[in-house]
Amino acid sequence: TRTMASRHSFENSNEIGVFAQLTNAYCLVAIGGAENFYSLFESELSSEIPVIKASLAGTRLVGRMSVGNKNGLLLPNSVTDQEMLHIRNSLPDEIVVQRTHERLSALGNCIACNDHVALVHPDIDQETEEIISDVLGVEVFRQAVAGNMLVGSYCRFTNIGGVVHPGTSLAELDELSSLLQVPLVAGTINRGSDVVSAGLIANDWAAFCGLDTTTTEMAVVENILDLKGKSSSELINGMRSALVDMLV
């Protein structure tokens, strides 16, 4: 069942994509946040996928330090054996969990992926590229988004659609769309923030946005990710032009 997008915050932060990692097969949530951060994910998701409390390298930045999809989960080398074991034991057996020696260790900032394709920071190690391809079972493209090397920070896409940095040109949107084979829209989250993946986490049937996200931004997200059925295209076109006016 496809749900609507929900708004959420971690303690006083709207950057929920920093503290949670959501895929079609599991959800990782930072340990030690207020209980209601965890319980919202649990109530929305746990009938379908495991929701796991974890820390990575002693931090709560599970969304920025890791990257994953339904096939696997990549973690930085700084993750402790105990954390690794806990995550491995909590995930379904078919999901491969692996560490990488990548020096760009905030993997979530440097890699964006769905279950088929990954966009990665142009300077990522060749070895890491191969690991991404093997563990996540994806085709890998080195790419910048709107001139930003940190592709993981500036776009969020599922197997259905995606949102990218508002400064992305139409030509680049087309190019990215054809690489990823999903429709994309350039937009913002959390009332005008361009760091899309910090304010938005999504899989093919659920999405969560930061608490400051406006109704317009939510509607754009729900439309492109095909949540809550199709809204009338006129409404969305009206909203898109409103967004463009807002950004110009």
Short mmCIF file of all heavy atoms in Angstrom, two decimals, residues 193-223:
data_model
loop_
_atom_site.label_atom_id
_atom_site.label_comp_id
_atom_site.label_asym_id
_atom_site.label_seq_id
_atom_site.Cartn_x
_atom_site.Cartn_y
_atom_site.Cartn_z
N SER A 193 15.11 24.50 1.39
CA SER A 193 16.46 23.94 1.46
C SER A 193 16.79 23.15 0.20
O SER A 193 15.97 22.39 -0.29
CB SER A 193 16.58 23.03 2.69
OG SER A 193 17.72 22.21 2.55
N ASP A 194 18.02 23.35 -0.32
CA ASP A 194 18.39 22.60 -1.52
C ASP A 194 19.09 21.28 -1.18
O ASP A 194 19.38 20.49 -2.07
CB ASP A 194 19.26 23.46 -2.46
CG ASP A 194 20.51 24.00 -1.79
OD1 ASP A 194 20.82 23.56 -0.65
OD2 ASP A 194 21.18 24.86 -2.39
N VAL A 195 19.36 21.04 0.10
CA VAL A 195 20.00 19.77 0.48
C VAL A 195 18.88 18.72 0.60
O VAL A 195 18.43 18.37 1.69
CB VAL A 195 20.78 19.90 1.80
CG1 VAL A 195 21.64 18.66 2.04
CG2 VAL A 195 21.67 21.13 1.76
N VAL A 196 18.46 18.25 -0.57
CA VAL A 196 17.24 17.46 -0.67
C VAL A 196 17.28 16.21 0.20
O VAL A 196 16.32 15.89 0.90
CB VAL A 196 16.98 17.06 -2.15
CG1 VAL A 196 15.73 16.22 -2.27
CG2 VAL A 196 16.86 18.31 -3.00
N SER A 197 18.41 15.49 0.16
CA SER A 197 18.40 14.19 0.84
C SER A 197 18.51 14.31 2.36
O SER A 197 18.28 13.35 3.07
CB SER A 197 19.50 13.28 0.29
OG SER A 197 20.73 13.68 0.82
N ALA A 198 18.87 15.50 2.85
CA ALA A 198 18.88 15.67 4.31
C ALA A 198 17.45 15.85 4.84
O ALA A 198 17.15 15.48 5.96
CB ALA A 198 19.73 16.88 4.69
N GLY A 199 16.58 16.41 3.99
CA GLY A 199 15.22 16.66 4.45
C GLY A 199 14.20 15.65 3.99
O GLY A 199 13.04 15.71 4.39
N LEU A 200 14.62 14.71 3.13
CA LEU A 200 13.67 13.77 2.55
C LEU A 200 14.25 12.37 2.52
O LEU A 200 15.36 12.16 2.02
CB LEU A 200 13.35 14.21 1.10
CG LEU A 200 12.57 13.23 0.21
CD1 LEU A 200 11.15 13.01 0.72
CD2 LEU A 200 12.54 13.74 -1.23
N ILE A 201 13.52 11.40 3.08
CA ILE A 201 13.89 10.00 2.85
C ILE A 201 12.68 9.30 2.26
O ILE A 201 11.54 9.65 2.58
CB ILE A 201 14.37 9.28 4.13
CG1 ILE A 201 13.32 9.33 5.23
CG2 ILE A 201 15.69 9.85 4.62
CD1 ILE A 201 13.68 8.51 6.45
N ALA A 202 12.93 8.35 1.38
CA ALA A 202 11.80 7.73 0.68
C ALA A 202 12.17 6.35 0.18
O ALA A 202 13.34 6.06 -0.08
CB ALA A 202 11.40 8.60 -0.51
N ASN A 203 11.16 5.49 0.08
CA ASN A 203 11.31 4.26 -0.70
C ASN A 203 10.15 4.21 -1.68
O ASN A 203 9.50 5.23 -1.92
CB ASN A 203 11.42 3.03 0.21
CG ASN A 203 10.16 2.76 1.01
OD1 ASN A 203 9.10 3.32 0.73
ND2 ASN A 203 10.27 1.90 2.01
N ASP A 204 9.87 3.05 -2.27
CA ASP A 204 8.86 3.01 -3.33
C ASP A 204 7.44 3.21 -2.83
O ASP A 204 6.54 3.43 -3.62
CB ASP A 204 8.95 1.68 -4.10
CG ASP A 204 10.23 1.61 -4.93
OD1 ASP A 204 10.95 2.62 -4.97
OD2 ASP A 204 10.49 0.55 -5.52
N TRP A 205 7.22 3.12 -1.51
CA TRP A 205 5.84 3.24 -1.03
C TRP A 205 5.66 4.14 0.17
O TRP A 205 4.57 4.29 0.69
CB TRP A 205 5.25 1.85 -0.74
CG TRP A 205 6.22 0.91 -0.10
CD1 TRP A 205 7.06 0.04 -0.75
CD2 TRP A 205 6.50 0.75 1.29
NE1 TRP A 205 7.83 -0.64 0.16
CE2 TRP A 205 7.51 -0.24 1.41
CE3 TRP A 205 5.98 1.33 2.45
CZ2 TRP A 205 8.02 -0.64 2.64
CZ3 TRP A 205 6.49 0.93 3.67
CH2 TRP A 205 7.50 -0.05 3.76
N ALA A 206 6.73 4.79 0.61
CA ALA A 206 6.59 5.72 1.74
C ALA A 206 7.63 6.82 1.63
O ALA A 206 8.70 6.62 1.04
CB ALA A 206 6.77 4.97 3.06
N ALA A 207 7.32 7.99 2.19
CA ALA A 207 8.30 9.08 2.22
C ALA A 207 8.13 9.88 3.49
O ALA A 207 7.02 10.00 4.02
CB ALA A 207 8.11 9.99 1.00
N PHE A 208 9.23 10.40 3.99
CA PHE A 208 9.21 11.25 5.19
C PHE A 208 10.00 12.51 4.88
O PHE A 208 11.10 12.45 4.34
CB PHE A 208 9.86 10.52 6.37
CG PHE A 208 9.19 9.22 6.71
CD1 PHE A 208 9.56 8.04 6.10
CD2 PHE A 208 8.16 9.19 7.65
CE1 PHE A 208 8.93 6.84 6.39
CE2 PHE A 208 7.52 7.99 7.96
CZ PHE A 208 7.90 6.81 7.33
N CYS A 209 9.42 13.68 5.23
CA CYS A 209 10.07 14.97 4.99
C CYS A 209 10.30 15.66 6.34
O CYS A 209 9.59 15.39 7.30
CB CYS A 209 9.17 15.89 4.17
SG CYS A 209 8.49 15.16 2.70
N GLY A 210 11.25 16.60 6.36
CA GLY A 210 11.46 17.40 7.56
C GLY A 210 10.22 18.20 7.92
O GLY A 210 9.39 18.50 7.06
N LEU A 211 10.12 18.57 9.18
CA LEU A 211 8.92 19.23 9.70
C LEU A 211 8.62 20.56 9.03
O LEU A 211 7.47 20.96 8.93
CB LEU A 211 9.11 19.45 11.22
CG LEU A 211 7.90 19.26 12.11
CD1 LEU A 211 7.17 17.96 11.82
CD2 LEU A 211 8.31 19.31 13.57
N ASP A 212 9.65 21.26 8.54
CA ASP A 212 9.44 22.57 7.93
C ASP A 212 8.95 22.50 6.48
O ASP A 212 8.68 23.53 5.87
CB ASP A 212 10.75 23.38 7.93
CG ASP A 212 10.95 24.11 9.25
OD1 ASP A 212 9.98 24.16 10.03
OD2 ASP A 212 12.06 24.61 9.49
N THR A 213 8.90 21.30 5.92
CA THR A 213 8.53 21.15 4.51
C THR A 213 7.13 21.72 4.26
O THR A 213 6.19 21.43 4.99
CB THR A 213 8.58 19.66 4.11
OG1 THR A 213 9.90 19.18 4.37
CG2 THR A 213 8.25 19.46 2.66
N THR A 214 7.02 22.56 3.22
CA THR A 214 5.73 23.21 2.94
C THR A 214 4.78 22.26 2.23
O THR A 214 5.20 21.24 1.68
CB THR A 214 5.93 24.45 2.04
OG1 THR A 214 6.42 24.00 0.77
CG2 THR A 214 6.93 25.43 2.63
N THR A 215 3.51 22.62 2.21
CA THR A 215 2.50 21.81 1.54
C THR A 215 2.83 21.66 0.06
O THR A 215 2.66 20.59 -0.53
CB THR A 215 1.12 22.49 1.69
OG1 THR A 215 0.95 22.79 3.07
CG2 THR A 215 0.01 21.59 1.23
N THR A 216 3.31 22.74 -0.53
CA THR A 216 3.70 22.71 -1.95
C THR A 216 4.82 21.72 -2.19
O THR A 216 4.75 20.89 -3.09
CB THR A 216 4.17 24.12 -2.39
OG1 THR A 216 3.17 25.06 -2.05
CG2 THR A 216 4.42 24.16 -3.88
N GLU A 217 5.85 21.80 -1.35
CA GLU A 217 6.98 20.88 -1.49
C GLU A 217 6.52 19.43 -1.32
O GLU A 217 6.94 18.54 -2.07
CB GLU A 217 8.06 21.21 -0.45
CG GLU A 217 8.82 22.49 -0.75
CD GLU A 217 9.69 22.97 0.41
OE1 GLU A 217 9.42 22.61 1.57
OE2 GLU A 217 10.65 23.72 0.15
N MET A 218 5.63 19.22 -0.34
CA MET A 218 5.10 17.86 -0.11
C MET A 218 4.35 17.36 -1.34
O MET A 218 4.49 16.20 -1.74
CB MET A 218 4.10 17.87 1.07
CG MET A 218 4.69 18.14 2.40
SD MET A 218 5.28 16.68 3.24
CE MET A 218 3.79 15.98 3.87
N ALA A 219 3.55 18.25 -1.95
CA ALA A 219 2.76 17.84 -3.11
C ALA A 219 3.66 17.45 -4.28
O ALA A 219 3.40 16.47 -4.99
CB ALA A 219 1.82 18.97 -3.53
N VAL A 220 4.75 18.20 -4.46
CA VAL A 220 5.70 17.88 -5.53
C VAL A 220 6.34 16.51 -5.27
O VAL A 220 6.45 15.68 -6.17
CB VAL A 220 6.78 18.99 -5.65
CG1 VAL A 220 7.91 18.56 -6.57
CG2 VAL A 220 6.14 20.28 -6.15
N VAL A 221 6.74 16.28 -4.01
CA VAL A 221 7.34 15.00 -3.63
C VAL A 221 6.36 13.85 -3.87
O VAL A 221 6.69 12.84 -4.49
CB VAL A 221 7.79 15.02 -2.15
CG1 VAL A 221 8.09 13.61 -1.63
CG2 VAL A 221 9.02 15.91 -1.98
N GLU A 222 5.14 14.01 -3.37
CA GLU A 222 4.15 12.93 -3.50
C GLU A 222 3.84 12.64 -4.96
O GLU A 222 3.63 11.49 -5.34
CB GLU A 222 2.86 13.30 -2.75
CG GLU A 222 3.05 13.24 -1.26
CD GLU A 222 1.80 13.63 -0.47
OE1 GLU A 222 0.93 14.32 -1.02
OE2 GLU A 222 1.71 13.23 0.70
N ASN A 223 3.83 13.68 -5.76
CA ASN A 223 3.51 13.49 -7.18
C ASN A 223 4.63 12.74 -7.90
O ASN A 223 4.38 11.76 -8.59
CB ASN A 223 3.28 14.84 -7.85
CG ASN A 223 2.79 14.67 -9.27
OD1 ASN A 223 1.80 14.00 -9.52
ND2 ASN A 223 3.51 15.25 -10.22
#
